[in-house]
């Protein structure tokens, strides 16, 4: 039976992205081109999308390389950053790539996907959910992580599909997200909207920290100033419908990412002092995965090293 490849995150991913993987041995739709499968693609990975077997094989290849990097980096972590041996969770950032790629990744055992724009993520999440529900047996949707800058007026859309928001950087957004979750729950309870994940579970929020040492307190571009993080964490923790998960950052363009991620770790420790459950440290992208894991990341957000290069212009 079980030909499901063991995902490096299996059993180690207690931190919230753990939707069930497709049932081992579940019959996959017949591939139109089984010969195009890479030698190391898992047995069950016939493609759900006609003609897409080559793309699935390519994703399988890149994914296994990234999983190997996570394993290797985790093996090198200092003791105090090892989270009792739990492996960092992989969030595959699928922005700019179609729903079909999310379905392929799901088939390859990916449970957590990230998006950075609501206009793109909303329709994609709906398309993915419909396609997975139509499979026999139905496969659960991935866990959607929203990782981009978020306008408060988009909060009500994001809560329809996202389980996590990594980019909470101001009090007004905390208020908007809390209100959006509670409104969504009322609407879902009366059958007015399809119940998103936060109908049943609190929306996990991470405080996005600005790690640029030059950033001023007023700089609202990429995260909250470190001084404001404890206050924001408290507001999230006290807001009905939200769960404080921890902290997130993007390394500044200039300078050594290791130093930046060290500062993030120190801030994470400070937050955990007050909120012991807020253990998540979301750090690391394709270019700095190793630096982030060495500094104690619990979640890495990887886009191009799994999906390939994105168009340069957005
Ligand atoms: C796009 C994006 C990523 C992934 O970046 P890659 O360099 O493609 O791995 C990670 N985090 C955020 C916030 C992003 O917007």
């Amino acid at each position: 039976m079980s030909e499901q490849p063991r995902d490096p995150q299996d059993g180690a991913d207690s931190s919230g992205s753990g939707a069930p993987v497709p049932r081992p041995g579940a019959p996959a739709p017949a591939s139109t081109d089984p010969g195009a499968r890479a030698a190391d693609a898992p047995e069950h990975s016939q493609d759900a999308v006609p003609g897409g077997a080559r793309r699935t094989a390519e994703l399988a290849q890149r994914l296994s390389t990234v999983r190997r990097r996570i394993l290797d980096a985790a093996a090198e972590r200092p003791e105090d950053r090892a989270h009792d041996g739990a492996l960092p969770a992989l969030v595959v950032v699928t922005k700019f790539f179609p729903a079909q790629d999310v379905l392929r990744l799901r088939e390859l055992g990916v449970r957590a996907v990230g998006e950075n724009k609501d206009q793109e993520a909303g329709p994609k999440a709906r398309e993915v959910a419909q396609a997975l529900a139509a499979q026999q047996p139905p496969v659960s949707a991935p866990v959607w992580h929203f990782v981009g800058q978020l306008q408060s007026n988009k909060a009500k859309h994001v809560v329809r599909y996202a389980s996590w928001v990594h980019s909470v950087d101001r009090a007004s957004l905390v208020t908007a997200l809390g209100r959006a979750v509670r409104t969504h729950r009322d609407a879902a309870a009366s059958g007015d909207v399809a119940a998103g994940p936060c109908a049943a579970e609190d929306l996990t929020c991470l405080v996005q920290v600005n790690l640029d040492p030059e950033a001023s307190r007023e700089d609202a571009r990429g995260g909250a100033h470190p001084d404001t993080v404890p206050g924001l964490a408290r507001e999230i923790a006290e807001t009905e419908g939200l769960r404080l998960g921890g902290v997130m950052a993007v390394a500044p363009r200039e300078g050594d990412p290791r130093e930046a991620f060290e500062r993030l770790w120190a801030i994470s420790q400070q937050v955990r002092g007050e909120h012991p459950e807020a253990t998540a440290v979301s750090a690391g992208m394709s270019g700095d995965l190793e630096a982030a894991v060495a500094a104690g990341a619990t979640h890495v957000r990887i886009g191009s090293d799994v999906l390939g290069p994105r168009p340069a212009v957005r």
Side-chain angles (χ1 to χ4, degrees):
M1 253 279 279
S2 182
E3 288 159 329
Q4 183 74 19
R6 233 186 116 65
D7 168 336
Q9 278 77 51
D10 277 352
D13 184 6
S14 58
S15 39
S17 48
V21 292
R23 226 182 57 192
S31 169
T32 51
D33 185 13
R37 227 161 58 207
D40 69 343
E43 252 334 283
H44 77 298
S45 164
Q46 280 112 8
D47 208 300
V49 185
R54 192 170 297 122
R55 175 64 170 160
T56 302
E58 178 189 318
L59 291 176
Q61 177 79 53
R62 290 169 170 277
L63 193 59
S64 76
T65 303
V66 166
R67 283 171 169 161
R68 168 53 54 193
R69 285 171 63 194
I70 293 172
L71 286 170
D72 289 348
E76 300 283 307
R77 287 178 295 188
E79 185 71 33
D80 67 324
R81 310 295 166 91
H83 303 284
D84 297 324
L87 285 173
L90 170 61
V91 178
V92 179
V93 181
T94 49
K95 66 191 185 199
F96 286 98
F97 290 92
Q100 280 84 349
D101 277 348
V102 180
L103 294 170
R104 293 185 178 103
L105 290 165
R106 192 77 192 85
E107 213 187 320
L108 295 168
V110 169
R111 282 164 287 168
V113 293
E115 288 285 335
N116 76 336
K117 284 209 179 73
D118 172 64
Q119 306 93 285
E120 180 182 347
K124 202 186 291 186
R126 270 198 300 283
E127 193 179 334
V128 167
Q130 282 165 8
L132 290 174
Q135 287 185 20
Q136 266 327 312
V139 174
S140 66
V143 175
W144 294 89
H145 292 242
F146 192 87
V147 302
Q149 288 300 294
L150 181 57
Q151 291 171 284
S152 295
N153 63 7
K154 297 279 167 58
K156 59 181 180 293
H157 297 156
V158 167
V159 300
R160 291 179 191 157
Y161 55 89
S163 296
W164 288 55
V165 176
H166 289 226
S167 44
V168 179
D169 60 1
R170 59 198 187 278
S172 57
L173 183 56
V174 177
T175 307
L177 286 167
R179 186 177 300 139
V181 169
R182 298 189 301 272
T183 304
H184 177 79
R185 285 177 176 171
D186 291 343
S190 51
D192 294 343
V193 297
C198 74
E201 273 181 41
D202 286 352
L203 180 74
T204 298
C205 293
L206 307 185
V207 180
Q208 182 177 350
V209 185
N210 187 336
L211 294 176
D212 187 341
E214 312 278 282
S216 68
R217 277 188 77 122
E218 286 72 41
D219 181 356
R221 282 172 306 173
H225 188 278
D227 292 352
T228 67
V229 172
L232 277 173
R234 211 168 297 136
E235 290 187 52
I236 293 168
E238 288 169 357
T239 299
E240 192 193 331
L242 307 183
R243 176 181 88 89
L244 176 66
V247 296
M248 175 273 210
V250 176
R253 270 185 241 281
E254 305 288 318
D256 184 348
R258 284 186 188 250
E259 283 169 23
F261 292 144
E262 279 303 313
R263 294 202 296 282
L264 181 64
W265 177 258
I267 293 164
S268 158
Q269 293 299 98
Q270 186 187 354
V271 168
R272 282 177 69 178
E274 215 178 311
H275 313 273
E277 304 308 308
T279 55
V281 181
S282 168
M285 311 185 0
S286 293
D288 53 26
L289 180 162
E290 283 79 8
V293 172
T298 61
H299 292 71
V300 293
R301 310 177 307 271
I302 309 298
S304 42
D305 278 2
V306 172
L307 288 139
R310 290 184 291 272
V313 186
R314 19 183 57 203

